[in-house]
Amino acid sequence: MPEHGSVNSLASTLQQQLADALTAALPDAGTADPLLRRSDRADFQANGILALAKKLKGNPRELASQVTAAIPAGGLIKEIEVSGPGFLNITLADRAIIETLAARAADDAGRLGVPYNSAAGTTVIDYAQPNVAKEMHVGHLRSAVIGDAMVQILEFTGESVIRRHHIGDWGTQFGMLIQYLTEHPGELTHEGAGGEAEGEAAMSSLNRLYKASRALFDSDEEFKARSRDRVVALQAGDAETLAMWQRFVDESKIYFYSVFNKLDMEIQDADIVGESGYNDMLEETCRILEESGVAVRSEGALCVFFDDVKGPDGNPAPLIVKKSNGGYGYAATDLSAIRDRVQNLKADTLLYVVDARQALHFKMVFETARRAGWLNEDVKAVHLPFGTVLGKDGKPFKTREGETVRLADLLDEAIDRASAVVREKAKDLTEDEITERATQVGIGAVKYADLSTSAARDYKFDLDQMVSLTGDTSVYIQYAHARSRSIKRKAGELSSQPHPELELAPAERAMALHLDQFGEVVAEVAAAYEPHKLASYLYQLSSLFTTFYDQCPVLKPEVPGDVAENRLFLSDLTARTLHQGMELLGIRTPERL
């Protein structure tokens, strides 16, 4: 039985009926899977009888006939046809389709009847990892966008999600920065303008300071020596040095928040636990690994070796947990973070949204954590790798001068391009509304282009294509949503009401069957960490709505009242589904465009 408010999909109800019929008609078959899938010959096709016939040494067409005879007449199924060597082509009853959608629309929890995952647990998701005192560039886009979408999707399915932003806030460069700030104390001051302007001001002062300190570090041996002493003081916890370090972190956060705010993403202070957050655990992590024999000393360094990981010279390439000079590598921090997330946060899934180039590092870190017992059958770690953002030329995205593109500049340009599109379409929008819609369309375009590509693949950043009203873009989906809301406004007193007794037109049926799949798509996306499949579903739904809009008028005088009400119901449910789906991807759906 589904929980209160949740609705079984047509496919799952049909799957159950077919499985019951298989058991009733063929008691010797045991539990058999009907192998149900959508079909272009009917609504669904069941192919499971072929495998069953082979197993029972029977004639598949005869078995298929026995199964169809065992299916109750009326109700869900309108027609079953046995085709080929025993396939079942199944057409559903229009009444059953509309009644199921009516139950979805009536879900008082506002979840469109989508059930929660009965096996939900706790996931810690590591995403959006900028570096302190450094500008965010196009390379930071994908971790933030993919990670934020996975947070929304997992939470929607009932997972308890803990966000972690593992920012780069530790290491030798801070000795250089802190020493320079000590000797030039006025360098981090700027007038707090608030919001985006303050973020820009914070970044420009950090940039200026970084360049000046780097130039001095490279040219002045005495300053270089003082900077190295300052690293030692930082790692030893010297109060004055830590206070200076904290200024860099705070200044960087002002900047991070301005960029994340532009990306329409909420980042909380409590979720930012950078490399420094695990400092106190590093020594103990190394001790546990060495005492348990997971890590061994090699040429003075503490290392973990793997049979299947070789360096360019063909020799085993180790994971270095502690360097021969006593310093800690990334591995020590990442392993300490795993300990914290499993033992203190009680996570049963650790999800890392990190560049595909880190795949080998994570493979070795996860295997080390398994050997140490921190990961096991009950606790899994998953690397969700993502590819590179490319320019139109198919090469890594750079400015004309060959520099990495600043993320803030990229987002501003997307909003500018979207503004032109919105202004062209806008009939009754004020200037303020055009500005607001342009932001929603521009940021949505950037996010959707990222999310509609399989994360592991590279994708081309082409703003002209991204803000196009045609093709697989977010603005195409936003426009379909706005069109449906427009129908609702024009409908006035007309009731949005399902009429299960009506026969459905082909465009109505196609859209209705797709609407019913929303919950199954969300569950699949959450289980496999594949947000591009949700983007694809929403694009297909928008395409089906466009066909419906062209072929099934709602408000024309010649359309009978009950047909108009049923079509308004389908249009409304489409808008609600598009809105919910886009919200899970972190994209706004304006009421008017």
Side-chain angles (χ1 to χ4, degrees), residues 178-190:
I178 293 165
Q179 188 58 35
Y180 188 85
L181 188 59
T182 309
E183 296 173 15
H184 305 79
E187 285 292 310
L188 264 193
T189 53
H190 58 82

Side-chain angles (χ1 to χ4, degrees), residues 16-163:
Q16 191 58 55
Q17 284 198 10
L18 288 172
D20 291 346
L22 280 168
T23 308
L26 311 162
D28 299 342
T31 54
D33 185 350
L35 295 179
L36 191 67
R37 61 180 183 84
R38 287 298 302 276
S39 168
D40 51 5
R41 300 186 172 209
D43 294 334
F44 291 92
Q45 189 174 72
N47 301 340
I49 289 170
L50 284 176
L52 209 55
K54 209 178 246 183
K55 184 177 161 188
L56 298 175
K57 298 187 171 50
N59 178 313
R61 280 189 73 90
E62 282 175 24
L63 289 182
S65 300
Q66 287 173 263
V67 171
T68 52
I71 292 172
L76 179 65
I77 297 170
K78 178 184 176 185
E79 184 185 349
I80 295 190
E81 172 205 23
V82 179
S83 86
F87 298 137
L88 298 182
N89 289 332
I90 301 157
T91 303
L92 302 185
D94 289 355
R95 171 178 286 279
I97 294 171
I98 292 297
E99 282 175 350
T100 299
L101 293 188
R104 293 200 177 288
D107 174 11
D108 52 12
R111 293 176 53 81
L112 303 172
V114 177
Y116 288 102
N117 176 8
S118 58
T122 299
T123 294
V124 173
I125 177 165
D126 189 324
Y127 69 108
Q129 309 105 345
N131 292 311
V132 164
K134 286 190 180 170
E135 236 169 344
M136 289 177 71
H137 54 78
V138 68
H140 291 112
L141 180 67
R142 300 206 73 185
S143 177
V145 170
I146 296 166
D148 188 56
M150 283 315 311
V151 168
Q152 310 304 329
I153 291 163
L154 289 168
E155 285 187 335
F156 186 72
T157 65
E159 188 78 3
S160 174
V161 179
I162 300 169
R163 301 154 170 82

Side-chain angles (χ1 to χ4, degrees), residues 316-448:
L319 182 70
I320 299 171
V321 185
K322 193 173 187 180
K323 300 170 192 169
S324 54
N325 67 0
Y328 299 101
Y330 288 122
T333 307
D334 285 333
L335 288 162
S336 298
I338 289 175
R339 282 178 58 213
D340 176 59
R341 294 166 185 185
V342 173
Q343 293 165 2
N344 300 329
L345 301 180
K346 308 296 182 199
D348 35 53
T349 304
L350 308 178
L351 182 60
Y352 293 79
V353 187
V354 182
D355 190 324
R357 288 171 294 190
Q358 299 292 321
L360 180 59
H361 170 76
F362 279 112
K363 179 185 173 186
M364 295 198 289
V365 166
F366 295 165
E367 176 56 31
T368 301
R370 267 190 289 275
R371 291 179 190 177
W374 303 325
L375 297 176
N376 51 46
E377 284 179 11
D378 301 321
V379 187
K380 64 174 179 173
V382 180
H383 177 207
L384 174 46
F386 54 83
T388 307
V389 181
L390 306 174
K392 286 185 190 179
D393 58 2
K395 295 175 182 168
F397 200 18
K398 304 274 187 195
T399 63
R400 286 200 181 114
E401 295 73 41
E403 292 180 10
T404 308
V405 181
R406 294 172 72 226
L407 186 50
D409 292 345
L410 197 72
L411 300 178
D412 286 340
E413 192 180 346
I415 292 167
D416 283 348
R417 296 286 179 93
S419 184
V421 173
V422 172
R423 193 174 294 283
E424 195 180 311
K425 296 294 290 185
K427 294 187 182 72
D428 53 355
L429 297 180
T430 65
E431 274 302 310
D432 283 350
E433 285 173 327
I434 287 172
T435 302
E436 182 195 32
R437 300 299 189 281
T439 303
Q440 294 175 342
V441 169
I443 298 302
V446 170
K447 288 184 174 184
Y448 185 85

Side-chain angles (χ1 to χ4, degrees), residues 180 187 206-217 223:
Y180 188 85
E187 285 292 310
L206 285 166
N207 256 345
R208 196 174 57 245
L209 195 144
Y210 187 88
K211 284 176 182 166
S213 63
R214 169 53 71 184
L216 196 57
F217 187 85
F223 176 73

Side-chain angles (χ1 to χ4, degrees), residues 254-265:
I254 294 169
Y255 164 67
F256 295 159
Y257 288 155
S258 75
V259 178
F260 287 128
N261 193 41
K262 193 174 279 192
L263 260 176
D264 200 13
M265 277 174 52

